[in-house]
Amino acid sequence: MEDLIGFRTIETRGTEILLNGKSIFLRGVCIHAEAPYRTGRANSDKDAETLLGWAKELGPTTCAWRTIPRRNHAACGRPNGLLVWSENPVYWAIQWNNPKVLAKAASS
């Protein structure tokens, strides 16, 4: 598996939030994992494209995407330029002593 990554700095100065040293205003949208045109989970590239298109119409700078498949992180960043806040996939009923839980977290 290959990932495209970009390195950014996010910091605060007083009440400002700085992205790569420049002040930004966070205006967000939250997307859940529901498929846009059918019942069930959004799990395809087409689902992500549709949901992200709708979200972009609202003009956000950030996107909190619940249960986002890892492969869709890149869709938020390039070419859409959104900061992504992604849900940890193992926060429900965590079984700390279960190796399957660790494997799921490591693969997400």
Side-chain angles (χ1 to χ4, degrees):
M1 177 178 185
E2 289 184 15
D3 280 331
L4 296 174
I5 62 170
F7 294 97
R8 294 163 183 80
T9 61
I10 298 176
E11 58 188 307
T12 59
R13 183 185 315 136
T15 59
E16 287 184 293
I17 298 172
L18 306 173
L19 175 65
N20 295 337
K22 295 180 182 177
S23 182
I24 63 168
F25 179 77
L26 298 182
R27 184 174 45 253
V29 63
C30 182
I31 302 172
H32 204 283
E34 303 309 318
Y37 293 112
R38 63 178 193 290
T39 59
R41 297 286 183 214
N43 57 15
S44 71
D45 291 340
K46 182 65 176 166
D47 290 342
E49 188 179 299
T50 300
L51 292 171
L52 201 52
W54 290 343
K56 283 291 288 183
E57 290 176 7
L58 300 173
T61 57
T62 63
C63 181
W65 197 330
R66 291 198 63 197
T67 61
I68 181 174
R70 183 177 174 182
R71 70 178 182 276
N72 292 334
H73 283 147
C76 294
R78 272 182 44 189
N80 292 300
L82 293 172
L83 298 171
V84 179
W85 300 3
S86 189
E87 178 179 86
N88 180 332
V90 295
Y91 77 96
W92 284 86
I94 297 173
Q95 299 171 354
W96 296 107
N97 59 351
N98 184 339
K100 290 180 181 178
V101 172
L102 178 57
K104 183 176 183 180
S107 69
S108 296

